Amino acid sequence: MLSNPGLYIHFPWCVKKCPYCDFNSHPLKGDVDQQRYLDSLLKDWQLQSADTFSPLANTEFLEDGFKTVFFGGGTPSLFKPKLMATLLKHLPIAADAEVTMEANPGTQEYTDFEHYLSAGINRLSIGAQSFQNSQLAKLGRVHNSAETVAAVARARSAGFANINIDLMWGLPGQSLKDALFDLESAIALSPPHISWYQLTIEAKTEFAKRPPLLPIDGVLAEIETKGNELLTAQGYHRYEISAYAKESAYCQHNINYWSFGDYVGLGAGAHGKVSERGQILRTQKASQPRLYLDEPEKISVQKVTKEQLPLEFMMNALRLIDGTGTETFTEKTGLDWQEIKPQWDRLVAQGLVRTDRCSTTELGLRYLDTVLEEFVN
Ligand SMILES: C[S@@+](CC[C@H](N)C(=O)[O-])C[C@H]1O[C@@H](n2cnc3c(N)ncnc32)[C@H](O)[C@@H]1O
Ligand code: SF4
């Protein structure tokens, strides 16, 4: 049965495609029929919440409504706030839900922040990436640093307090000084949450085809260490590999993913995970916006096998700095902790994981891939 699932809603268009990005995002060619996308999302929801559709057949949770909603992309801030408002009105959302929207400072829509707030969005995730214009140009971003600063100020004056800033590090030609400058610039805006991702070169992206010169390992290690120290000294608590928050500003939607919780995915290419009658199902919608618009009710459903479960759980839970309790493993996978005890004991012997919790040590966090290999069948 679903318990407190999150809701993810995907918007697959961007002004242009960034050369490092492998998300399901498509450059806008002319106008998108936003009303048609909204209609498709509503049809998608109708199907996924219908009693006849087995993965979500148990709709008890709808009484309380979703506790978290995340509009991701792509660039959801390209969408009209009025349509967001209509969508949110048609979905069961708890009164105190965390409702996040990703916003790209290069989409002029930030003048509309008040309207997004009144539509029901109460958390913004602003894609800054860097505060150096030369770096933003290398990353193919459609905004400069001043526009990011202005977007944060606009969001604040519109009434948004719960703001995340996305930054990346390990960028082309980046020095330690450059990386710390980016962090200091973000911290100066005092957002309660900062996501600080190491740039990865993803297959099939422009950067994979024409790889930029990245910092050498020694510089990367220094950036990671000094960046962590800076964030910690400024009161940001690292609670996940790339997520830092002040006090209670943890992203509840992402914590649900990392705790192997359930979520419903709406929109082109959206993924979902639902636990139903002792089995875990993964859902996926058509990635191509055109296909999704034509057949929004089409969904692929795959069962996660018992053999896949330990790795799937660990890939999420071990990203959390404190991991989870061992009982959460049982609760979310239906498997007994004893089933993975031999692997866990081997990792304990190498000093990579803790004995008291389902959590890595500091060393294990640095070598997370090695830890996860233990769970590969
Ligand atoms: C779904 S993306 C998009 C958010 C929004 N469209 C934007 O770019 O402003 C969320 C975040 O993932 C990070 N990201 C995207 N591609 C990445 C990559 N190849 N390596 C590391 N981080 C990446 C970026 O910080 C980005 O803001
Ligand atoms: S704006 Fe965001 S989602 Fe769009 S291409 Fe760039 S990184 Fe990807």
Side-chain angles (χ1 to χ4, degrees):
M1 188 180 76
L2 279 166
S3 60
N4 291 345
L7 174 64
Y8 176 80
I9 306 173
H10 193 77
F11 288 82
W13 294 281
C14 291
V15 175
K16 66 186 261 260
K17 183 85 183 173
C18 302
Y20 56 86
C21 175
D22 81 335
F23 287 90
N24 183 33
S25 61
H26 304 261
L28 271 177
K29 292 186 193 113
D31 270 352
V32 167
D33 185 343
Q34 298 205 6
Q35 181 63 47
R36 189 165 168 227
Y37 196 65
L38 168 70
D39 294 341
S40 304
L41 289 170
L42 290 172
K43 268 193 211 140
D44 188 355
W45 168 247
Q46 268 162 23
L47 175 97
Q48 294 205 48
S49 57
D51 281 351
T52 47
F53 178 70
S54 69
L56 290 186
N58 191 326
T59 50
E60 264 171 46
F61 75 95
L62 296 181
E63 284 163 27
D64 295 335
F66 291 106
K67 298 278 190 288
T68 68
V69 182
F70 197 102
F71 289 100
T75 306
S77 59
L78 283 171
F79 263 69
K80 296 190 181 90
K82 219 171 71 187
L83 299 185
M84 295 272 188
T86 310
L87 178 60
L88 286 169
K89 263 189 221 129
H90 283 82
L91 301 169
I93 305 202
D96 59 350
E98 172 195 272
V99 186
T100 305
M101 179 180 77
E102 284 182 341
N104 184 325
T107 58
Q108 290 308 312
E109 282 64 18
Y110 61 72
T111 47
D112 272 343
F113 279 146
E114 299 72 7
H115 297 122
Y116 286 119
L117 190 74
S118 41
I121 287 154
N122 54 31
R123 182 173 183 273
L124 283 180
S125 177
I126 296 180
Q129 318 311 348
S130 169
F131 284 90
Q132 290 188 310
N133 289 338
S134 55
Q135 187 59 257
L136 289 168
K138 285 188 228 167
L139 295 174
R141 299 292 294 179
V142 294
H143 56 91
N144 60 30
S145 167
E147 283 169 319
T148 306
V149 174
V152 174
R154 292 272 190 159
R156 281 246 166 72
S157 57
F160 278 98
N162 203 355
I163 295 175
N164 166 55
I165 291 185
D166 271 350
L167 275 183
M168 294 192 292
W169 62 276
L171 299 176
Q174 192 177 49
S175 65
L176 171 64
K177 201 165 148 235
D178 295 330
L180 294 182
F181 172 83
D182 280 348
L183 276 177
E184 277 155 7
S185 306
I187 292 167
L189 300 171
S190 49
H193 195 289
I194 295 179
S195 299
W196 193 48
Y197 301 107
Q198 179 175 7
L199 174 71
T200 46
I201 304 296
E202 305 286 353
K204 296 191 189 144
T205 59
E206 267 310 299
F207 272 6
K209 284 180 210 142
R210 272 177 281 278
L213 201 60
L214 298 183
I216 56 169
D217 286 352
V219 174
L220 290 175
E222 249 189 330
I223 294 177
E224 188 171 19
T225 308
K226 300 280 184 214
N228 267 317
E229 282 171 12
L230 174 62
L231 284 160
T232 308
Q234 293 295 324
Y236 289 92
H237 175 65
R238 187 188 195 191
Y239 67 103
E240 187 263 355
I241 287 190
S242 312
Y244 296 78
K246 281 199 166 163
E247 285 142 26
S248 57
Y250 305 122
C251 176
Q252 297 305 323
H253 185 81
N254 287 342
I255 287 181
N256 179 53
Y257 288 151
W258 298 320
S259 318
F260 211 51
D262 284 341
Y263 52 95
V264 176
L266 299 182
H271 295 257
K273 166 184 175 280
V274 289
S275 310
E276 177 65 22
R277 297 187 202 101
Q279 45 175 12
I280 295 180
L281 306 168
R282 294 227 174 252
T283 64
Q284 201 192 343
K285 307 295 300 187
S287 299
Q288 274 301 326
R290 196 175 38 79
L291 295 181
Y292 179 78
L293 285 165
D294 287 346
E295 287 184 280
E297 57 287 330
K298 206 166 161 189
I299 191 163
S300 83
V301 181
Q302 253 189 343
K303 188 174 173 252
V304 182
T305 64
K306 186 171 172 272
E307 291 67 36
Q308 292 167 327
L309 275 171
L311 177 64
E312 290 230 2
F313 180 87
M314 295 300 170
M315 275 168 60
N316 287 285
L318 298 183
R319 293 187 64 89
L320 288 166
I321 304 302
D322 288 335
T324 66
T326 52
E327 71 291 348
T328 307
F329 174 80
T330 302
E331 187 193 313
K332 302 284 179 169
T333 63
L335 301 175
D336 198 289
W337 182 254
Q338 291 304 319
E339 303 211 29
I340 54 145
K341 186 102 183 2
Q343 289 101 304
W344 198 260
D345 287 347
R346 277 198 291 276
L347 292 167
V348 168
Q350 297 169 73
L352 295 170
V353 297
R354 287 167 54 167
T355 48
D356 57 334
R357 283 181 71 71
C358 178
S359 169
T360 62
T361 57
E362 226 172 273
L363 184 70
L365 192 67
R366 205 170 321 142
Y367 296 103
L368 187 56
D369 287 346
T370 310
V371 173
L372 294 176
E373 265 164 35
E374 270 294 344
F375 301 98
V376 176
N377 285 303

